Amino acid sequence: MSSNSAPGGARARARIEVTAAIKDAARRQLAADGAARLSLRAVARELGMVSSALYRYFPSRDDLLTALIIDAYDSLGEAAESSHDTVADAGPLERWTAVCESVRRWALAHPHEYALIYGSPVPGYRAPEATIPAASRVGLLLIAVVRDAHRSGRLAVTPLPATLRPEASRMAADLAPDLPPPVVAALVAAWAQLYGLVGFEVFGQFHRVVEDRAPFFRHAVTRLAQGVGLEPGHA
């Protein structure tokens, strides 16, 4: 008997299928009611399951939220990495722009999942450390772009005010010890501003403010890149 036809293999496939169905139902609930109102009982009811059966897959609402959050971060990370791979041989500025634009495209295509990971915190939920690797994928990709520019001597470094140098040094030690602290401080600011730009568009704050949004976004993330030290002439 092959491993695929063995009872254990069938059980494993069934578990994967049920887990996927639970997540899909939970995503529909997120879209309809928001993360704060996610309910295991409601998910079980939609799937025609008894609650006790669903608890064998996700013992609590927080476990299900964590799985959805990791999936969303991984989906975003995969989209960013795929876009970066298409321009991997280009200059740093083009690679930076490709990553940022992929974040925007993904968010516009998955607004409810974007809201889950970058919207309002869910009351009573605290994300565990298990979410960190997936959540770090886009940030690490941007750091890698800047690191390559620094190693090739194509990164401009702007000095920081004395009052910010200790904090910049601490951030550099934690995030990218091989990069100059002023660059890491600029990276953290750019990371926050990138998701601010995307969030304003996803959540409607640009309504009747910015209409031609794609070129506006490209211009804005180019300016962020320049703030980090990726000069246009280095593309």
Side-chain angles (χ1 to χ4, degrees):
M1 180 180 293
S2 70
S3 60
N4 286 338
S5 60
R11 284 194 296 270
R13 289 196 303 275
R15 184 173 185 85
I16 290 171
E17 291 171 0
V18 174
T19 299
I22 292 170
K23 289 179 179 180
D24 287 343
R27 291 187 187 100
R28 289 191 292 272
Q29 193 177 124
L30 289 179
D33 302 319
R37 298 183 64 184
L38 180 64
S39 162
L40 288 182
R41 290 183 181 276
V43 171
R45 187 164 54 248
E46 178 182 335
L47 295 175
M49 299 173 64
V50 295
S51 298
S52 58
L54 191 146
Y55 291 142
R56 291 200 293 270
Y57 295 86
F58 296 100
S60 70
R61 180 210 67 163
D62 285 5
D63 291 311
L64 179 53
L65 266 179
T66 296
L68 296 175
I69 287 168
I70 290 173
D71 282 356
Y73 276 129
D74 275 333
S75 177
L76 173 59
E78 288 166 10
E81 290 159 4
S82 177
S83 292
H84 176 267
D85 287 347
T86 65
V87 294
D89 294 329
L93 184 57
E94 187 173 349
R95 292 164 59 197
W96 172 281
T97 303
V99 172
C100 293
E101 290 186 330
S102 71
V103 171
R104 175 178 177 265
R105 284 194 302 271
W106 184 91
L108 293 174
H110 305 85
H112 302 295
E113 290 170 84
Y114 186 85
L116 175 64
I117 55 178
Y118 289 113
S120 300
V122 178
Y125 174 78
R126 184 180 179 87
E129 290 189 4
T131 61
I132 293 176
S136 302
R137 289 174 69 165
V138 173
L140 291 175
L141 196 55
L142 293 175
I143 288 173
V145 171
V146 174
R147 178 178 289 122
D148 287 347
H150 179 57
R151 287 174 176 170
S152 62
R154 296 185 291 172
L155 187 69
V157 180
T158 303
L160 286 174
T163 54
L164 188 55
R165 288 172 194 160
E167 177 64 5
S169 296
R170 185 199 62 77
M171 289 190 291
D174 286 345
L175 300 173
D178 56 329
L179 290 177
V183 171
V184 176
L187 265 169
V188 172
W191 170 76
Q193 291 173 79
L194 167 63
Y195 288 106
L197 284 163
V198 173
F200 261 52
E201 185 168 1
V202 171
F203 302 135
Q205 282 94 341
F206 279 156
H207 180 59
R208 300 184 67 180
V209 177
V210 180
E211 297 298 336
D212 198 3
R213 293 170 187 167
F216 174 83
F217 181 83
R218 175 173 281 243
H219 170 74
V221 298
T222 299
R223 293 296 297 272
L224 294 180
Q226 292 169 356
V228 171
L230 302 178
E231 296 295 338
H234 292 159

